[in-house]
Structure formats: structure tokens, C-alpha cells
């Protein structure tokens, strides 16, 4: 891991940097771009990685249901790739998930090898029962729509792999 790297909970003042980090990845259809308000609403879900007082990565863990949370918006700057930043962020998010009491973590990703190295396995179909699926349909959250594999988000999720890790 990179010396001097610090992973900490995000603050509202970090949201502009997070959006700037995500924006080029959203343009390449790797991550889903969200409105500014969605980032601010999710501030408590995020952690950031800092190196030399500069944000070089971010990620979020978002509770979907009683025993399930999603790893979202895991991103690292190009210059920090391959330096352990993504692993440090994911480790912090896994610990947050445990602290929240979830037993399973879900992600929707193109980076399957990275997530496999961290205990995630590709899954087919839904990770929830039909009853929970019906409840989740009531959510306005675009990430939940991605999780449910709804048609309206298909253009943004084509080619992604659904992965799950049991804690």
C-alpha cells in the first residue's frame, strides 16, 4: 500500500472532488453519473482516500436491506491505480458494512478480477427474495434500480457483472 495513504469518512466538502473523480469514469460508462444532490444525500455512505492531502479515491457502502449493502462508486485516480488505494477503500467499506450489521455485500462492476481478489463471486439473477425485490421496487434510488436490473438503467449497466460477498 502507498505510504501516507489515509482512508477516512467523507465530508460534504469532499463531494465536489468525488464528483470530479467519478465524472470521467461516468463518461466512459464505467460508473453511473449522479446528480450533485444524490452525492450530498449519500455523504454518510462514502469514504475517501487521501494522499498528500489530495483525494485520490472514493467509495461508498449503501444499505439496501436488512442483511444486504452495496459497494458503490469505488473509484481511484489514474495516477493512484495499482498502488493499493482501491484495496484500502474496499477494506474500509467492508468494515463499515460489518459495523452496520449486514451479512452480504453486493457490487455491479466491470472490475471482476479486483473484486474476486477480495472475496466477491459473480452471481446470476437476484440476491434477494421475491418479497424483498417487491419492496425494493419502491425505492427512488438509481443504485437500487441498477441492483434490481431494471430496464430503465440497462444502457448504463450493459456488460457489468453482478457480484456478491458473504461476510
Amino acid at each position: 500500500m502507498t505510504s501516507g495513504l489515509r482512508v477516512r469518512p467523507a465530508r460534504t466538502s469532499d463531494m465536489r472532488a468525488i464528483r470530479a473523480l467519478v465524472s470521467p469514469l461516468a463518461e466512459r460508462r464505467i460508473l453511473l453519473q449522479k446528480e450533485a444532490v444524490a452525492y450530498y444525500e449519500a455523504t454518510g455512505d462514502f469514504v475517501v482516500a487521501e494522499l498528500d492531502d489530495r483525494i485520490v479515491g472514493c467509495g461508498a457502502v449503501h444499505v439496501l436491506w436488512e442483511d444486504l449493502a452495496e459497494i458503490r462508486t469505488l473509484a481511484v485516480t489514474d495516477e493512484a491505480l495499482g498502488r493499493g488505494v482501491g484495496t484500502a477503500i474496499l477494506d474500509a467499506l467492508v468494515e463499515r458494512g460489518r459495523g452496520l450489521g449486514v451479512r452480504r455485500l453486493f457490487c455491479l462492476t466491470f472490475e471482476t478480477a479486483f473484486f474476486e481478489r477480495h472475496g466477491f463471486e459473480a452471481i446470476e439473477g437476484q440476491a434477494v427474495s421475491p418479497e424483498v425485490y417487491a419492496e425494493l421496487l419502491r425505492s427512488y434510488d438509481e443504485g437500487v434500480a441498477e441492483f434490481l436490473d431494471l430496464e430503465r438503467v440497462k444502457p448504463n449497466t450493459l456488460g457489468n457483472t453482478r457480484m456478491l460477498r458473504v461476510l
Side-chain angles (χ1 to χ4, degrees), residues 95-114:
E95 285 309 306
R96 286 182 110 188
R98 281 192 177 106
L100 291 166
V102 297
R103 294 189 320 260
R104 300 178 302 150
L105 292 171
F106 168 83
C107 69
L108 188 60
T109 185
F110 290 106
E111 301 295 335
T112 55
F114 172 80

Side-chain angles (χ1 to χ4, degrees), residues 21-38:
L21 180 61
V22 170
S23 186
L25 297 170
E27 288 173 14
R28 294 179 4 220
R29 295 177 119 27
I30 294 170
L31 291 177
L32 186 65
Q33 184 66 276
K34 298 174 187 153
E35 297 298 329
V37 67

Side-chain angles (χ1 to χ4, degrees), residues 53-88:
D53 295 321
R54 192 170 69 82
I55 292 176
V56 295
C58 67
V61 61
H62 182 79
V63 174
L64 296 175
W65 201 250
E66 178 181 6
D67 67 334
L68 181 68
E70 180 181 7
I71 301 296
R72 293 182 173 180
T73 321
L74 182 54
V76 175
T77 60
D78 286 342
E79 61 270 15
L81 284 174
R83 298 174 63 188
V85 175
T87 294

Side-chain angles (χ1 to χ4, degrees), residues 14 17 22 29 40 59 64 76 78-79 82 94-95 99 111 115 125-126 128 157-158 160:
D14 298 323
V22 170
R29 295 177 119 27
Y40 287 105
L64 296 175
V76 175
D78 286 342
E79 61 270 15
V94 168
E95 285 309 306
E111 301 295 335
F115 281 97
Q126 290 300 324
V128 294
T157 60
L158 290 176
N160 281 359

